Structure formats: C-alpha cells, structure tokens
Amino acid sequence: MLSLSTQNMKNFTFLLIVMIFGGLHSCQKDEITESNSPQSLTKSSTLSSLMARVSQSPTSKDNVLDGTSCFAVVLPVSLTVNSNNITVVDSDSYETVRDIVDEYTNDDDVIHFNFPIRLKFADFHEVEVANQEAYETILENCGDDEGFTI
C-alpha cells in the first residue's frame, strides 16, 4: 500500500492550489472590436487580387498553342503547324509543337486548329469554338498580353 508522506502531501496540495489559481487567474475577457479601416478586404484590394490569381485556372502554360494567357485550349486538341498534323494530348506535347515552330526560320509557324475546340478561361468557364472566325473574335476580345512572347 502506498502512503504519501506529510511533506509530499503538502507539496502536492501546494502545487494543486497554484495550478488552480493560475488557471483561474489566466482567464480574461477579450474585447472584440470592429474596425472600418481602409485596409479592410475589398474586391479591389491587393490581397483580393492575389487570392483571385491563386485560385484561377492556369492559362499561360499552352501559350505556344494559342499565343495568349487569356484562355487555355482544352486538351486533347488536333492542330496543324507547318504542314505537320499533331494531336496535343497533354502538356508534354507542347514541346513537340515548339520544336516544329522553331525548326525552320522560313516557314509561317501559324498554328491551325482543327475545329471545334474548347477554351477554358481563368475563371474556369469553358466555351466551345466552332470555327476560326469565332476563335479570332474571342482572341480580339481578350486584349493585350503584356510581356508575352512565343
């Protein structure tokens, strides 16, 4: 049978009282204040813009195909470049297209999609494009991609 000595019992009692007092004393009432500071999160704030960019669909990975960061071409897609028919099935195929474009300096390097194709915008909505004219209209409405080069 275990028995605690009087000294151990006093130490235990003292520690228990200190812990209870410390626990009760550490409780405090937190004040909640609302602030209407100009640094609040708004739709046009820097933080909102950064958060939106992080959650957007990546549209610049396929720029070798479409020449814009406005949208991405949904894969798989069939196309013709410099008289070579290619089916781009994944992002690894972008290098094949780039190699064909870079192969000669005296060719047109224009990528001709075999329509219909699907385009995915940064906000994840998709559009089916039936022909070259519709594609060019969408491309014109995108505006400029500053600093982009193929």
Side-chain angles (χ1 to χ4, degrees):
M1 200 165 140
L2 295 173
S3 85
L4 294 173
S5 68
T6 308
Q7 185 62 34
N8 286 342
M9 190 64 144
K10 286 181 183 178
N11 288 342
F12 176 75
T13 306
F14 176 74
L15 285 173
L16 184 62
I17 291 172
V18 168
M19 288 174 41
I20 291 172
F21 179 74
L24 292 175
H25 183 67
S26 67
C27 294
Q28 58 183 324
K29 184 177 180 183
D30 292 332
E31 292 183 29
I32 299 174
T33 59
E34 288 188 30
S35 172
N36 289 332
S37 76
Q39 297 177 355
S40 296
L41 189 61
T42 63
K43 189 174 183 177
S44 62
S45 70
T46 303
L47 181 57
S48 294
S49 298
L50 292 172
M51 288 172 38
R53 292 187 72 183
V54 168
S55 64
Q56 290 177 342
S57 175
T59 58
S60 62
K61 290 181 180 179
D62 72 337
N63 284 355
V64 70
L65 301 180
D66 56 28
T68 183
S69 294
C70 180
F71 53 78
V73 177
V74 177
L75 302 179
V77 65
S78 295
L79 53 91
T80 304
V81 59
N82 297 340
S83 301
N84 293 294
N85 294 319
I86 302 170
T87 300
V88 179
V89 294
D90 57 26
S91 59
D92 294 336
S93 302
Y94 296 153
E95 277 304 310
T96 304
V97 175
R98 181 169 299 284
D99 291 343
I100 292 170
V101 167
D102 292 343
E103 189 172 11
Y104 299 106
T105 58
N106 60 347
D107 48 13
D108 67 0
D109 293 335
V110 176
I111 295 172
H112 302 278
F113 292 107
N114 297 333
F115 292 95
I117 63 171
R118 293 193 63 75
L119 305 178
K120 183 189 288 188
F121 292 84
D123 64 359
F124 291 95
H125 86 274
E126 292 187 15
V127 174
E128 184 165 320
V129 182
N131 54 44
Q132 185 68 32
E133 183 179 328
Y135 177 76
E136 289 174 5
T137 300
I138 292 170
L139 199 55
E140 288 171 6
N141 291 329
C142 283
D144 294 332
D145 273 342
E146 293 181 18
F148 172 72
T149 57
I150 292 181

